[in-house]
């Protein structure tokens, strides 16, 4: 685990920088896309995103270790699985607007691509 600590921390930091950068630069736009929600389920307040990123990164690391796949392959599989499970279903069954779904799918790809890139670079 200690040899994987550097890539895990790196992925956490990069994803938080991307997320908070988006919030700082385009917070109103993210709320319009539905990332803000109505606040009714935001039980953790300001620590929701860091907790989510840590959990997701530990899951990502586990997927890499269990499957033996490269970091980028695992990241892209998880990205497309997330897109299929959320955006595609929302467009097909919940009537979500296609441009918003494409934007959030693109954001998912950016997060996962950055995760794969950082994990690979810091694992060398």
């Amino acid at each position: 685990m200690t040899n994987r600590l550097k890539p895990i921390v790196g992925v956490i930091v990069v994803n938080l920088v991307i997320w908070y950068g988006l919030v700082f630069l385009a917070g109103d736009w993210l709320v319009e896309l539905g990332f803000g929600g109505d606040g009714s389920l935001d039980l953790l307040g300001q620590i929701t995103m860091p907790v989510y990123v840590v959990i997701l990164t530990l899951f990502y690391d586990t997927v890499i270790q269990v499957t033996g796949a490269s970091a980028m392959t695992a990241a892209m599989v998880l990205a497309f699985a997330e897109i299929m499970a959320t955006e595609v279903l929302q467009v097909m069954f919940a009537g979500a607007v296609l441009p918003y779904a494409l934007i959030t799918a693109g954001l998912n790809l950016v997060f996962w691509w950055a995760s794969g890139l950082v994990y690979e670079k810091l694992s060398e």
Side-chain angles (χ1 to χ4, degrees), residues 40-82:
S40 61
L41 297 177
D42 193 10
L43 302 176
L44 298 175
Q46 297 299 318
I47 64 167
T48 301
M49 186 50 64
V51 168
Y52 177 71
V53 167
V54 168
I55 292 169
L56 199 60
T57 302
L58 292 175
F59 175 71
Y60 172 54
D61 177 64
T62 302
V63 168
I64 293 170
Q65 299 310 311
V66 170
T67 64
S70 72
M72 190 58 78
T73 300
M76 289 299 106
V77 168
L78 290 171
F80 283 102
E82 185 176 350

